[in-house]
Amino acid sequence: MKKTEKKTNNQKKKTTREASEQKSWKDTLYNCPYFLLLVASTVVAMLCSDEIGINLMNRGQSVAAKAILTNATTNEIEASEAEMTDAGIPGGDKAGDVGKNPDEGCNVEDGVGQKQEGALVQTEKREETQKRGITRFEYYEPQHIDSIYYSDAGKVAMTTEYDYKIENTSYFNDAAFLGDSRTLGIADYAGIDGADFYCDSGMTIFKLLGEDGVTYQKTGHKVDLKQVLQEKQYGKIYIMLGMNELGYGNTEMYLKQYREVVEQIREWQPDAIIYIMANLHVSEIKNNPETEFNNININDKNAASALLANGKDIFYLDCNPLFTDDNGFLNADLTFDGVHLYAQNYDVWRKFLLEHGVERMETGENGTVRTDNDRNTVK
């Protein structure tokens, strides 16, 4: 029993002594500033020279730099959004930016406003030089016509009003003429050698694009006009048809077919100017009110086809005033059969066509306005 108590007392003394020694070491350490300074200096020296310390410092600098850059970028984006908002240009993710007036604040330093203004000026310039023409009608009191083929239109179509250009024969170098025996007369006697003529006596608007084809006057052979117009592009296309339709169907059918033909040609020839030429009147001797072959019927067909002119790329041309007398009949001195002109009179027709040239406007790569006449280098 005494040995056990003695052993326990010895352990308590040992624990007390160790605690006293540990406390003494800490007191000595905290009470010695020189020692603490030495330890701190050693740690700093290690960080400045140790590879790990350098990496830690660099990492700290990178984090700081990234924070600064992030703040700067955020500020720039906010400033940019503010500038775009002030200028009326939708930008950023702000819903309030959408729908602002783009005409406010066009003073943008990047030149966007100036480019838009320049494009607008070019568009306005092109529209000014290519204003839409107007096809007018003269009205009169119509007669009652008892016919299934036609009626009295009660109006006369006049040449589309437009700022036409006076051209020379090179204007026809990219032209195609489609028609009947009157068009054949132009091909033979008008001196328009540069154009292509597709015409036949007895041709109608119903047969023009048909399977039987039409004669190409330069070769004398029949061609499929549908195929020709899909393979070769023309700058101008002149159409004159209606005389052989006077006793076929009625004017409503004629206009429907004429419209379909023009729309089909437009699809195949998107850049061509289309001229719808009025049918010539007949002489007083040939004018027969008892049949369908008369000027009232011809006028009914002309007034209908004139409705297709839009004054932009389709124009209606009426040369009747050049060849008719005061009563509207084809002048007897100008015709050998009351229907067709003498050969020497086709020169007047050619001059009429040259006085009614339309130059289609195009915008070049540098913004310049180019006309059809710029392509006609042969004078």
Side-chain angles (χ1 to χ4, degrees):
M1 182 69 180
K2 291 183 179 180
K3 290 182 179 180
T4 302
E5 289 178 358
K6 184 177 181 180
K7 184 177 181 180
T8 300
N9 292 333
N10 290 336
Q11 290 178 349
K12 288 181 180 181
K13 289 180 180 181
K14 183 178 180 181
T15 301
T16 302
R17 186 172 57 253
E18 290 177 353
S20 176
E21 290 177 354
Q22 182 177 5
K23 182 178 179 180
S24 177
W25 177 82
K26 290 182 178 180
D27 290 340
T28 303
L29 178 63
Y30 290 132
N31 292 327
C32 185
Y34 297 104
F35 180 77
L36 291 175
L37 180 61
L38 178 61
V39 172
S41 301
T42 303
V43 172
V44 172
M46 289 176 62
L47 289 174
C48 291
S49 60
D50 190 298
E51 182 178 356
I52 297 177
I54 293 175
N55 290 336
L56 289 174
M57 293 176 65
N58 288 340
R59 182 180 178 184
Q61 292 175 355
S62 298
V63 172
K66 184 177 182 180
I68 296 173
L69 180 60
T70 301
N71 292 334
T73 304
T74 302
N75 293 336
E76 289 177 1
I77 292 175
E78 292 177 352
S80 178
E81 289 179 350
E83 290 178 0
M84 289 190 293
T85 301
D86 293 338
I89 303 174
D93 297 327
K94 297 181 179 180
D97 290 339
V98 180
K100 288 186 177 293
N101 186 359
D103 294 331
E104 297 177 358
C106 291
N107 230 352
V108 183
E109 293 182 357
D110 60 3
V112 173
Q114 295 178 356
K115 291 181 180 179
Q116 292 176 345
E117 183 178 354
L120 180 61
V121 170
Q122 292 174 7
T123 301
E124 291 176 348
K125 183 184 294 185
R126 185 166 60 253
E127 290 178 351
E128 288 178 359
T129 54
Q130 196 173 2
K131 292 182 178 179
R132 188 180 297 272
I134 300 175
T135 304
R136 301 186 187 277
F137 296 84
E138 286 186 351
Y139 293 85
Y140 62 89
E141 187 66 29
Q143 302 179 28
H144 172 71
I145 303 295
D146 186 16
S147 173
I148 62 173
Y149 299 104
Y150 72 101
S151 61
D152 193 337
K155 59 184 178 181
V156 177
M158 296 179 290
T159 293
T160 302
E161 297 177 3
Y162 188 75
D163 185 19
Y164 295 105
K165 307 299 180 182
I166 299 177
E167 305 290 349
N168 53 51
T169 54
S170 67
Y171 184 72
F172 301 121
N173 288 348
D174 62 348
F177 285 76
L178 319 178
D180 51 30
S181 58
R182 261 94 174 264
T183 305
L184 185 58
I186 297 176
D188 291 339
Y189 306 115
I192 304 178
D193 299 329
D196 289 339
F197 286 84
Y198 304 92
C199 48
D200 284 304
S201 295
M203 180 56 63
T204 71
I205 194 67
F206 299 96
K207 298 191 299 183
L208 185 65
L209 301 179
E211 298 300 328
D212 293 337
V214 60
T215 302
Y216 178 40
Q217 295 302 316
K218 286 185 178 180
T219 63
H221 300 300
K222 290 276 189 177
V223 297
D224 184 351
L225 192 57
K226 300 189 301 298
Q227 181 178 353
V228 170
L229 295 178
Q230 292 179 72
E231 293 178 351
K232 183 175 182 178
Q233 291 298 305
Y234 290 98
K236 304 98 185 175
I237 296 179
Y238 295 82
I239 309 173
M240 183 171 58
L241 289 166
M243 289 299 293
N244 299 302
E245 294 88 336
L246 296 179
Y248 180 85
N250 55 34
T251 303
E252 184 178 354
M253 290 175 56
Y254 168 79
L255 176 58
K256 180 177 182 295
Q257 181 66 20
Y258 214 135
R259 177 179 285 109
E260 290 178 359
V261 169
V262 169
E263 289 176 351
Q264 182 62 81
I265 292 176
R266 167 58 65 225
E267 180 180 340
W268 293 333
Q269 303 282 323
D271 297 325
I273 299 294
I274 298 177
Y275 296 94
I276 296 174
M277 296 196 294
N279 295 283
L280 277 183
H281 289 180
V282 296
S283 67
E284 187 173 6
I285 295 178
K286 282 291 186 179
N287 185 68
N288 188 353
E290 301 299 324
T291 67
E292 292 72 43
F293 200 81
N294 58 68
N295 286 335
I296 293 179
N297 193 1
I298 293 174
N299 181 64
D300 194 35
K301 301 296 186 290
N302 285 343
S305 62
L307 296 174
L308 301 178
N310 59 21
K312 181 180 179 182
D313 53 15
I314 305 176
F315 298 82
Y316 176 77
L317 300 180
D318 182 17
C319 64
N320 272 293
L322 300 174
F323 304 113
T324 55
D325 58 24
D326 294 340
N327 296 317
F329 297 108
L330 179 61
N331 195 318
D333 297 333
L334 304 179
T335 177
F336 61 89
D337 62 355
V339 178
H340 301 88
L341 298 173
Y342 285 118
Q344 62 268 24
N345 295 316
Y346 283 97
D347 182 62
V348 177
W349 206 331
R350 175 179 57 83
K351 290 180 180 178
F352 171 80
L353 296 179
L354 289 176
E355 290 172 354
H356 291 80
V358 174
E359 297 177 351
R360 192 162 189 171
M361 304 299 172
E362 299 178 357
T363 303
E365 295 180 356
N366 58 353
T368 59
V369 177
R370 187 179 66 174
T371 67
D372 286 334
N373 195 45
D374 296 330
R375 294 195 292 265
N376 295 330
T377 57
V378 181
K379 300 297 182 182

